[in-house]
């Protein structure tokens, strides 16, 4: 990737942002920032604890602080938390500092991936297809408004997804 800004992977929880980011790192030697991991490191506590002890607004503010730092970097693949697009300011920062790629998956596929994982406070007590469909519908306009590119993940390997993203970036002049 030419040093022309960053690539932000966005999408609903469990759509594969982290796996695709690692694959982009492996295949194309790109630097990766895992926002959730960075937040956990910085706070010294889990995401569930942050939500429980300090509230969602606090968590969302850390996301914004982190994006502001990333804004000064370039050439990074950023695997974002699924709710990052909910704040207009975050979308503005991302748009100003790179390209936003939306990964999508069906509620069924999402449920299969996140069903047994209790690390996501937003999904606590909301682990049915209907709950996920509902939340996904609520968030759909935010994701679609933010995205420069959309990549569906269903039925594709992470390698195929990473290659597809790379091609889109190349075509758009980010290579
Ligand atoms: C969230 C998604 C999570 C994490 C937090 C909130 C959300 O990230 O940031 O639990 O609101 O969608 P992943 O999308 O990586 O699971």
């Amino acid at each position: 990737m030419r040093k022309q800004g960053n690539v932000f992977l966005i999408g609903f929880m469990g759509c594969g942002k982290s796996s695709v980011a690692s694959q982009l790192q492996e295949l194309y030697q790109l630097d990766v920032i895992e926002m959730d991991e960075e937040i956990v490191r910085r706070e010294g506590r889990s995401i569930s604890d942050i939500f429980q002890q300090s509230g969602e607004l606090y968590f969302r503010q850390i996301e914004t602080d982190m994006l502001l730092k990333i804004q000064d970097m370039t050439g990074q693949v950023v695997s974002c938390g699924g709710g990052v697009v909910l704040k207009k300011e975050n979308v503005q920062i991302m748009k100003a500092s790179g390209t936003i790629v939306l990964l999508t998956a069906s509620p069924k596929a999402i449920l299969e991936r996140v069903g047994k994982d209790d690390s996501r406070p937003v999904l606590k007590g909301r682990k049915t297809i209907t709950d996920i469909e509902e939340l996904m519908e609520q968030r759909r306009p935010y994701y679609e408004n933010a995205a420069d590119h959309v990549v569906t993940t269903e039925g594709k390997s992470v390698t195929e997804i990473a290659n597809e993203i790379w091609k889109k970036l190349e075509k758009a002049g980010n290579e």
Side-chain angles (χ1 to χ4, degrees):
M1 186 162 39
R2 247 188 282 141
K3 299 292 177 192
Q4 267 192 1
N6 304 304
V7 175
F8 297 93
L9 300 182
I10 62 164
F12 201 84
M13 293 160 274
C15 70
K17 291 162 292 190
S18 301
S19 319
V20 171
S22 325
Q23 193 66 7
L24 281 166
Q25 181 168 49
E26 205 175 307
L27 292 177
Y28 301 106
Q29 290 76 51
L30 303 176
D31 294 332
V32 169
I33 298 176
E34 270 294 334
M35 280 187 67
D36 284 349
E37 263 177 33
E38 287 298 321
I39 291 174
V40 167
R41 191 169 311 141
R42 175 182 142 168
E43 287 285 307
R45 52 189 175 148
S46 69
I47 303 234
S48 297
D49 283 347
I50 301 173
F51 268 67
Q52 210 180 336
Q53 295 160 0
S54 308
E56 182 170 349
L57 276 184
Y58 176 86
F59 176 80
R60 300 292 174 207
Q61 188 52 46
I62 316 179
E63 287 187 312
T64 304
D65 293 347
M66 195 158 284
L67 286 174
L68 284 168
K69 284 200 186 110
I70 294 170
Q71 195 176 24
D72 296 331
M73 303 176 181
T74 190
Q76 308 292 310
V77 173
V78 186
S79 171
C80 298
V84 84
V85 293
L86 300 175
K87 242 172 116 175
K88 205 170 164 185
E89 185 186 358
N90 292 350
V91 178
Q92 284 165 346
I93 300 168
M94 291 191 286
K95 278 198 185 287
S97 72
T99 305
I100 305 179
V101 180
L102 169 64
L103 302 183
T104 66
S106 68
K108 185 171 172 280
I110 298 280
L111 186 62
E112 274 161 21
R113 292 179 200 160
V114 303
K116 290 200 181 76
D117 183 348
D118 283 330
S119 68
R120 295 177 172 94
V122 175
L123 291 181
K124 204 171 168 207
R126 301 169 96 176
K127 292 229 193 88
T128 65
I129 289 266
T130 317
D131 291 334
I132 289 177
E133 263 166 6
E134 235 173 67
L135 188 57
M136 206 183 257
E137 274 314 304
Q138 271 172 30
R139 289 184 169 190
R140 184 188 301 282
Y142 294 91
Y143 288 127
E144 289 180 354
N145 163 60
D148 294 307
H149 304 288
V150 183
V151 174
T152 58
T153 61
E154 213 104 357
K156 295 174 191 165
S157 69
V158 274
T159 309
E160 284 169 329
I161 300 165
N163 285 332
E164 193 175 326
I165 293 173
W166 182 257
K167 277 196 201 119
K168 283 182 192 283
L169 295 173
E170 263 184 345
K171 214 169 152 196
N174 285 85
E175 81 279 18

